[in-house]
Amino acid sequence: MTKNKNIVWRLLRRNISAGQIAGYAMANLVGLAIVLTAIQFYRDISTVWDDEDSFFSEDYVVISKKVTGLSLLPFGESEHPTRFSKEEIADIEARPWSGKVGEFNSAAFNVYAKVSFGGSSMGSDLFLESIPDDFFDVSPDGWGYEPGRSEYVPLIISKDYLSLYNFGFATSRGMPQVSEEVISMVPLQLSLSGNGRQQWVNARIVGFSSRLNTIAVPEDFMRWANSEFSDTPAEAPSRLIVKLDHPGDPEAESYLEEHGYETAGDRAANGKAAYFLSLVTSVVIAVGLVISLLAFFILLLSIYLLMQKNREKIHELMQLGYTPSQVARYYHLIISCVNVAVLGAALAVMLTGAHYWREPLSTLGVEPVSPWMTVAVGVGLILLITSGNLAVVSRAVRKQFYS
């Protein structure tokens, strides 16, 4: 049996072109290496998306309408020119780039905040807003409010407010700077007044947001307080927060400009960077896949040329009693060995690239991820390519046998 195998092998390998096999292997290697390297680089960069302080974090934009002179008067083109109607909100939600939309609900009552320490106190008028919990970038302990049961009203404020105090107000007045931990321990009192009533409640800062430029309270508290201290119906929101399905989507930017909506902060520019990275990575992966597809057709052409060269030998083997699967087995072995070698070389290229960019990314605070997922993708791709190769070989051999 072994002798027969050696005879078949010697007959078939004479017309195998090493140059054609090497050309296929090289093209396949280039394509697969590009795909795997791009995937691993994208995955490493994507780890920074979990950091809310990073410009690669999920893209949320806070939008509002432009304030004009007419907005200050009791008349104009609409009753509330700076507020969003239900139709406008529904239109934003229906856009393909809009993941979900949250409304800012403002306090319809007067709020006065007071802090007491060392026998003295200081206070100021305050504004409060609430949004759905899904839109916060922090999840502090103690968030929520039950009227009559909660010991204090939890507050989330913008990190910018604390920075303004520490590096603006405190330094100019010779006052002490405070950390987030210290200011979270300071007890506050809020005076809620309106609708002929007034009530003092305890409050405490429990979190700091990099996404929201506001002083936020739980929605449960806002609903209770508005019902207790306001006799006016709830007004339409003047600000919306929108989660974009695709950070930096140009369609979203065009829509906002067309409708005259303004965005808070520099999230638009940051979103463009994330969108550009995603686009470039997609293009690179597409190029790699095209090269791999071309390599597949190179092998396909080589196989048909090889079948033509070995046509007489294949017919001789058929007359000797060999089946198409027995003959194709030798071509299968060659292709499988070549593809395994290509996979190993492509993974080596990917791991080498990951090693070189690991240190520069670490200096940016980006922690690279494990390459095992990329390795699995590579194995899946090479199995798919090999399956296609083997199917083509088997078909070509059968065609030669029965032609």
Side-chain angles (χ1 to χ4, degrees), residues 263-320:
T263 59
D266 59 354
R267 297 296 300 171
N270 295 337
K272 288 179 182 178
Y275 180 80
F276 179 75
L277 174 64
S278 301
L279 182 62
V280 170
T281 305
S282 300
V283 171
V284 172
I285 292 176
V287 170
L289 291 175
V290 169
I291 294 176
S292 295
L293 184 62
L294 291 176
F296 179 85
F297 284 110
I298 289 174
L299 181 64
L300 183 64
L301 179 61
S302 300
I303 289 172
Y304 278 109
L305 290 175
L306 188 60
M307 293 298 105
Q308 290 298 322
K309 291 180 180 179
N310 286 335
R311 184 173 182 177
E312 294 182 2
K313 294 182 176 62
I314 291 175
H315 280 285
E316 292 174 0
L317 291 172
M318 180 183 65
Q319 293 174 356
L320 292 174

Side-chain angles (χ1 to χ4, degrees), residues 129-247:
E129 291 182 306
S130 69
I131 63 170
D133 293 347
D134 294 344
F135 293 91
F136 284 106
D137 53 337
V138 291
S139 300
D141 295 332
W143 185 251
Y145 186 80
E146 293 185 39
R149 293 186 178 182
S150 298
E151 297 181 3
Y152 59 86
V153 179
L155 305 176
I156 293 179
I157 69 172
S158 171
K159 286 186 177 182
D160 292 338
Y161 295 170
L162 184 59
S163 298
L164 286 173
Y165 168 79
N166 282 332
F167 305 108
F169 186 80
T171 54
S172 63
R173 299 296 182 91
M175 299 179 66
Q177 296 178 319
V178 294
S179 65
E180 293 182 3
E181 292 75 13
V182 171
I183 199 171
S184 296
M185 295 187 293
V186 176
L188 302 173
Q189 285 187 307
L190 300 181
S191 170
L192 314 178
S193 60
N195 197 20
R197 299 186 55 192
Q198 182 184 22
Q199 181 177 340
W200 286 90
V201 295
N202 296 321
R204 181 167 295 173
I205 298 173
V206 297
F208 298 85
S209 174
S210 299
R211 179 183 300 161
L212 304 171
N213 188 17
T214 188
I215 301 175
V217 295
E219 287 194 301
D220 292 337
F221 170 79
M222 184 64 74
R223 281 193 292 266
W224 168 79
N226 275 335
S227 65
E228 291 288 327
F229 302 99
S230 174
D231 57 356
T232 60
E235 294 184 331
S238 58
R239 292 202 297 168
L240 302 175
I241 179 170
V242 184
K243 179 182 179 182
L244 303 183
D245 279 342
H246 305 289

Side-chain angles (χ1 to χ4, degrees), residues 80-96:
H80 297 289
T82 62
R83 297 188 179 275
F84 291 91
S85 65
K86 292 182 179 180
E87 292 75 16
E88 290 172 324
I89 297 174
D91 185 57
I92 295 174
E93 290 178 331
R95 297 294 163 175

